[in-house]
Amino acid sequence: YGVEAWATYRPTERWRLSAGVVRQSVRFERKPDSQDTSGLVSAGNDPNGWWQLRSSLDLLQNVELDVGARRVGSLPNPYVPAYTAVDVRIGWRLMRRLEASLSVYNAFDPGHAEWGAAANRAEFARAFFVRLVWRQ
């Protein structure tokens, strides 16, 4: 059981804000006659909650800035600590059909763990991306 809520607000013509939150409690049980031999521990290894905030601003007619922050709760088993990440993107419309952008993921943190046991845990490092898009 849980609750999920998302909202968008536009303070000005050029600025958009969005936010979302999820709170949940998950519990798995096998029915007495179940033939399932897989473990239930990993099936229910979800955070109890997370939230996200995003701001999108048109700086100029052809330049936009997006900043997003998210907080994901810890995982119980195997334990993975909660993390907060901030992503930043600046985009330019160079021509009517050509768009370029530069994005930074984990802008204020060198990285964070997302899942798995400590010995082979999936870690996501800070990353930079350059993107070009041609639209027909």
Side-chain angles (χ1 to χ4, degrees):
Y1 60 91
V3 64
E4 179 175 353
W6 297 90
T8 301
Y9 175 63
R10 195 169 193 139
T12 70
E13 177 75 21
R14 297 168 36 162
W15 187 22
R16 295 160 308 282
L17 299 170
S18 61
V21 64
V22 173
R23 292 293 299 167
Q24 66 180 3
S25 179
V26 179
R27 190 178 83 197
F28 291 92
E29 295 177 357
R30 279 195 191 100
K31 292 185 177 183
D33 61 343
S34 173
Q35 301 294 319
D36 188 357
T37 59
S38 64
L40 294 178
V41 173
S42 63
N45 194 29
D46 297 311
N48 287 333
W50 59 92
W51 57 258
Q52 177 177 311
L53 302 172
R54 181 169 227 47
S55 173
S56 299
L57 179 63
D58 297 332
L59 296 174
L60 301 170
Q61 184 176 359
N62 64 336
V63 180
E64 54 191 24
L65 174 67
D66 300 323
V67 178
R70 66 188 177 284
R71 172 80 177 172
V72 178
S74 62
L75 300 181
N77 191 8
Y79 176 77
V80 177
Y83 69 88
T84 302
V86 176
D87 304 328
V88 180
R89 177 190 162 275
I90 188 162
W92 300 270
R93 184 166 307 278
L94 302 172
M95 298 174 7
R96 189 172 145 263
R97 295 184 175 180
L98 181 62
E99 184 180 302
S101 63
L102 172 64
S103 299
V104 181
Y105 297 118
N106 293 322
F108 300 114
D109 186 7
H112 62 268
E114 291 222 0
W115 69 82
N120 57 356
R121 184 167 285 159
E123 303 260 344
F124 286 84
R126 179 179 297 133
F128 298 86
F129 294 93
V130 174
R131 181 177 178 198
L132 292 172
V133 176
W134 179 265
R135 300 189 194 279
Q136 297 254 356

